[in-house]
Amino acid sequence: MQRIGLSAAILLLAPFATPAAAREVIIGWPATITMNLAPIAAGIELGLFQKEGLSIRVVELKGTSMVLPQVVSKGVDFGFVGAEPLAALKQPGRSPMPVKYFYNATPFYNWEIIVPEAGPVHKIEDLKGKKVGVQVLTNTHMPITRVLLKNHGLVEGRDYSFQTIGYSGQALYSLMRGDADAYYIGWNEIANYQAMGAKLRILPMDREIKTLFGNGYVAAEDRFKSDPQTMVGFGRAMAQATLACLGALEWCVKATWKVYPQVKLKDGTEAEIMAKSVPVVQTILKTMLPQGLNDNPRYGAFSEESWSNLLRFLHEGGELQSRDIPTSTLYSNELVDQINVFDRKALMQTISTLK
């Protein structure tokens, strides 16, 4: 089939008329903008959010702990967050945090500990007496990091310390010059660093941690009744945009560069930059595929087993005083069926034209 460009691809979606005035949806993002926003960029470029009557604006915040209060106060509509801080806030006796997940964006846990390949650290136990780099101390995954290290006999303050080294290229530079001995970071950044030529070693991780999940989208609890259509529309556009990126990787990279030009690598020819960027997006998308992928995957769905594993992991590691937290206060799959109602055949036809 002849492949066409972006403008023609959008015309293929024209039967879904764009509303005259789209509702702005503000997303609280817990880090700097990276290629991790590829599906959002793809959804914007294909008009998928517009089809749902939405326009998207992403604002950068520093960690889940900064995003959650903004979701409660309606400073942002949705937050892209990790589960650990929310679980801690939902414990019995704590002040209620009226926020709940409605879309699982990364069903596969996607964080690893990396170290310079030429360095002396080969396993987690080797981090004794070392500094472990993190983006910020309010990062979503700090509790999991502490539990992971504790399971290998390392206690914060006694055996290691955390060192804030920031984000993206700044963090890589700090790691390679020795400001920290290791860095706990997501797959997307690792792939980006490798694309930049960094020689890194990924430390072996506990198998149990891979039963967890990464980040998802939360909303204030009252939105489930007052504004479910916006949540469904956002989730439906995200599901389709993820499929579009999976089926048209180079187009997805170009779309991300167009919407967020700051994420494009600076060095090399256009072809060289594309060759480095495609594996980064592939790595990101790998974490976004629904678990138990089949002919009819349910994008956005959470697994009760994953939540149970997370609460047990955090409780046994001392990060939660109680694991008796009703998961119904943490997430809901009530909108997932509606989110997955779209014409997959028509979408796949559109994807086949993207270049």
Side-chain angles (χ1 to χ4, degrees):
M1 178 180 291
Q2 183 182 6
R3 299 175 74 80
I4 60 178
L6 178 62
S7 298
I10 292 175
L11 288 176
L12 287 176
L13 295 174
F16 310 108
T18 300
R23 180 209 189 284
E24 183 181 60
V25 173
I26 303 174
I27 307 298
W29 198 259
T32 55
I33 288 174
T34 66
M35 291 296 289
N36 220 28
L37 276 86
I40 287 182
I44 291 171
E45 284 300 285
L46 275 180
L48 295 169
F49 292 108
Q50 288 181 322
K51 169 188 162 185
E52 301 289 346
L54 309 175
S55 67
I56 303 297
R57 179 159 65 94
V58 176
V59 296
E60 298 176 344
L61 299 168
K62 292 187 179 297
T64 287
S65 298
M66 298 296 181
V67 175
L68 289 173
Q70 290 295 318
V71 175
V72 174
S73 68
K74 309 294 175 61
V76 301
D77 295 286
F78 307 139
F80 181 73
V81 301
E84 298 93 313
L86 184 58
L89 291 166
K90 294 281 188 174
Q91 292 180 93
R94 297 289 183 93
S95 298
M97 172 64 71
V99 167
K100 190 185 294 188
Y101 282 93
F102 70 95
Y103 188 91
N104 187 0
T106 51
F108 291 91
Y109 194 78
N110 60 339
W111 283 64
E112 308 274 4
I113 300 176
I114 59 173
V115 298
E117 188 178 71
V121 177
H122 292 261
K123 57 186 184 298
I124 292 176
E125 289 81 359
D126 294 340
L127 292 174
K128 186 169 184 177
K130 307 292 187 184
K131 291 180 288 186
V132 178
V134 294
Q135 292 173 330
V136 291
L137 293 177
T138 55
N139 189 278
T140 295
H141 301 284
M142 292 293 289
I144 289 289
T145 315
R146 284 191 290 266
V147 175
L148 177 64
L149 293 170
K150 185 176 180 181
N151 287 350
H152 288 262
L154 304 180
V155 176
E156 181 186 3
R158 184 191 74 188
D159 301 304
Y160 70 91
S161 61
F162 285 118
Q163 177 68 43
T164 301
I165 60 174
Y167 300 87
S168 304
Q170 171 195 336
L172 177 62
Y173 178 72
S174 293
L175 175 66
M176 301 309 285
R177 76 178 179 185
D179 294 344
D181 302 286
Y183 187 31
Y184 196 53
I185 190 60
W187 289 357
N188 61 307
E189 285 287 11
I190 296 171
N192 199 39
Y193 294 158
Q194 291 171 333
M196 294 163 63
K199 302 299 183 183
L200 302 169
R201 177 182 297 118
I202 299 175
L203 301 187
M205 295 276 275
D206 298 357
R207 193 167 150 227
E208 182 183 30
I209 203 171
K210 296 303 181 182
T211 68
L212 309 181
F213 54 91
N215 284 31
Y217 289 95
V218 296
E221 289 179 355
D222 59 4
R223 283 193 188 273
F224 283 80
K225 290 185 177 180
S226 67
D227 194 17
Q229 64 272 20
T230 297
M231 299 161 71
V232 169
F234 175 80
R236 185 183 292 134
M238 284 296 297
Q240 294 177 87
T242 302
L243 281 167
C245 282
L246 283 165
L249 284 165
E250 289 196 5
W251 172 86
C252 182
V253 170
K254 292 175 186 176
T256 310
W257 290 346
K258 182 177 179 181
V259 178
Y260 304 110
Q262 68 269 37
V263 307
K264 186 175 182 180
L265 297 175
K266 301 295 189 293
D267 297 328
T269 65
E270 196 76 2
E272 289 170 342
I273 295 173
M274 178 61 72
K276 292 178 179 179
S277 300
V278 164
V280 175
V281 172
Q282 282 181 312
T283 299
I284 292 166
L285 294 173
K286 190 191 309 181
T287 72
M288 296 181 175
L289 297 175
Q291 293 190 16
L293 192 64
N294 51 47
D295 291 336
N296 190 30
R298 297 178 76 233
Y299 281 86
F302 284 96
S303 158
E304 180 68 17
E305 180 183 8
S306 292
W307 275 103
S308 178
N309 288 342
L310 174 67
L311 296 178
R312 177 176 52 79
F313 192 77
L314 292 174
H315 180 248
E316 291 176 354
E319 292 293 323
L320 293 180
Q321 293 180 351
S322 171
R323 58 181 289 189
D324 295 327
I325 303 169
T327 55
S328 61
T329 68
L330 295 165
Y331 81 98
S332 173
N333 283 334
E334 67 185 82
L335 303 177
V336 169
D337 286 343
Q338 296 178 67
I339 284 170
N340 283 273
V341 174
F342 54 88
D343 189 335
R344 292 175 190 251
K345 184 176 180 180
L347 178 64
M348 298 310 293
Q349 181 182 4
T350 298
I351 292 170
S352 71
T353 69
L354 300 175
K355 66 176 183 179

